[in-house]
């Protein structure tokens, strides 16, 4: 069995959708959002950037948001809380607490071993490999739903997971498949 302690995963980006359960007057909101841009002819929402936590928020008149750039779920919660406090100061009333739904998490990582991607692509199901177009194998995990990019160096990118648990589970499935098809050599003890 593969030693999972050698596998490393790091969150690179989290994208969440948020419902504030209120309508927003974007002309008023733009006045209280520092580092923001609003050009309704170009885009129907405000693009607002926070330095702490370092995220970007897309704010729509429907009270819906998209938060991106976060490195943790806590960053998203802090950013939403910060925006709610700013909106409260201009008299915005909320029907209930915001609903935050994680849409996508992107992780980078390292499996800790190298791979012959031609061999991987020949035997591994649910994968694509077009080395002229992209230098990694694209491996699709059905449950939990995720896509893992595997590079010959053993480096990986996992996207589409909705939680850190799901990302680890997807990586475990990839490793089990690689082992099943003889693509991972058992380490010899000396």
């Amino acid at each position: 069995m593969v030693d999972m302690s050698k596998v490393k995963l790091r969150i690179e980006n989290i994208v969440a959708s948020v419902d504030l359960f209120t309508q927003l007057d974007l002309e008023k909101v733009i006045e209280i959002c520092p580092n923001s841009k609003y050009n309704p002819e170009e885009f129907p929402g405000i693009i607002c950037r926070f330095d702490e936590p370092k995220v970007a928020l897309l704010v729509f008149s429907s009270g819906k948001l998209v938060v991106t750039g976060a490195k943790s779920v806590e960053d998203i919660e802090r950013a939403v809380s910060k925006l709610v406090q700013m909106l409260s100061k201009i008299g915005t009333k909320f029907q209930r607490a915001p609903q935050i739904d994680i849409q996508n998490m992107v992780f980078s990582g390292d499996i800790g071993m190298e791979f012959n991607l031609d061999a991987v692509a020949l035997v591994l199901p649910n994968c694509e490999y077009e080395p002229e177009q992209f230098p990694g194998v694209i491996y699709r995990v059905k449950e939990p739903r995720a896509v893992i990019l595997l590079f010959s160096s053993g480096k990986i990118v996992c996207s589409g997971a909705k939680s850190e648990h799901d990302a680890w589970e997807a990586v475990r499935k990839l490793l089990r498949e690689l082992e099943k098809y003889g693509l991972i050599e058992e380490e010899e003890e000396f």
Side-chain angles (χ1 to χ4, degrees), residues 42-57:
E42 255 180 56
F43 185 73
I46 294 172
I47 302 165
C48 178
R49 296 182 193 287
F50 287 164
D51 289 331
E52 188 46 48
K54 193 164 175 52
V55 298
L57 301 95

Side-chain angles (χ1 to χ4, degrees), residues 171-182:
V171 171
R172 265 192 285 284
K173 285 189 174 181
L174 168 64
L175 291 173
R176 279 198 293 270
E177 289 287 288
L178 291 169
E179 197 170 49
K180 176 175 153 185
Y181 292 103

Side-chain angles (χ1 to χ4, degrees), residues 162-173:
K162 302 251 182 177
S163 69
E164 194 161 354
H165 175 270
D166 285 357
W168 279 104
E169 186 55 34
V171 171
R172 265 192 285 284
K173 285 189 174 181

Side-chain angles (χ1 to χ4, degrees), residues 140-157:
R140 297 182 191 285
V141 181
K142 288 184 173 55
E143 190 57 45
R145 219 173 114 140
V147 174
I148 299 174
L149 308 177
L150 172 65
F151 299 92
S152 60
S153 63
K155 301 266 193 257
I156 57 173
V157 173

